[in-house]
Amino acid sequence: MDFDFPDDIDEGLEQMLSGEPPHDRWMRLALDEARAAAAEDEVPVGAVVVAAGRIIASAHNQREQLADPTAHAEMIALTQAAAQLGSWRLEGCTLYVTLEPCPMCAGAILQARVPTVVWGAADPKAGAVVSLYRLFEDARLNHRVEHVGGVLAEQCGGILTEFFRGKRA
């Protein structure tokens, strides 16, 4: 008897067989977005939104290019994902971002009802997931977000370190 498995199950099996940790593939794609930001002289942060085993949105920081203080990678990716799904509720989605979300982005993630966020490097100066605040776990809010931090943290942090080292030189 043949079974028709959804693509995301096939993908999960493929990852298990390859020995690749489950979140690494998507984080590498977020890192590609971060590299695109660096190439545009933007702070290199990238994000992708995954639903049903497929990327439905991808973005990188564009604050300088758009002259918009809200143009963080996560904010742009959330807007794209909502447009793709035709709903502001991003239930069933996972957001991958190379840097721990700031308070603005964490608030938007909560408002969008994103159930899971996977992030790379911690942000000791502005992180709102574990570093400065723990917004995703705040019992006073009406939504909680599962989160996994430190995925490809060395690469995610390294691209930021290189970028700012170049700025200081």
Side-chain angles (χ1 to χ4, degrees):
M1 179 181 283
D2 288 332
F3 292 100
D4 187 23
F5 291 108
D7 290 341
D8 56 336
I9 291 175
D10 289 340
E11 186 173 289
L13 289 172
E14 180 182 307
Q15 288 176 346
M16 286 189 318
L17 293 173
S18 72
E20 179 180 48
H23 297 301
D24 286 12
R25 175 182 183 206
W26 304 116
M27 188 61 76
R28 274 197 293 282
L29 295 171
L31 273 163
D32 288 344
E33 284 289 338
R35 288 184 198 93
E40 296 171 8
D41 204 30
E42 296 276 358
V43 174
V45 177
V48 298
V49 178
V50 176
R54 290 184 169 72
I55 291 179
I56 62 167
S58 62
H60 55 271
N61 276 1
Q62 293 184 304
R63 291 192 310 173
E64 301 297 333
Q65 183 178 355
L66 299 176
D68 180 354
T70 69
H72 288 200
E74 301 98 305
M75 300 293 282
I76 296 168
L78 292 174
T79 299
Q80 289 176 357
Q84 180 73 24
L85 295 176
S87 174
W88 61 268
R89 290 178 186 89
L90 301 182
E91 298 160 340
C93 294
T94 300
L95 171 68
Y96 289 83
V97 60
T98 59
L99 183 65
E100 176 186 359
C102 72
M104 174 183 69
C105 294
I109 290 162
L110 285 159
Q111 291 297 317
R113 307 298 192 264
V114 176
T116 308
V117 173
V118 179
W119 50 274
D123 187 352
K125 294 184 178 182
V129 180
V130 298
S131 294
L132 295 179
Y133 306 101
R134 294 183 175 269
L135 290 181
F136 291 168
E137 299 166 10
D138 193 323
R140 297 169 295 178
L141 299 172
N142 67 339
H143 180 67
R144 305 289 171 285
V145 177
E146 295 293 322
H147 59 91
V148 177
V151 175
L152 300 182
E154 192 171 308
Q155 290 130 301
C156 292
I159 192 170
L160 287 158
T161 300
E162 270 308 302
F163 177 81
F164 287 114
R165 184 177 292 141
K167 289 289 184 190
R168 288 188 294 270

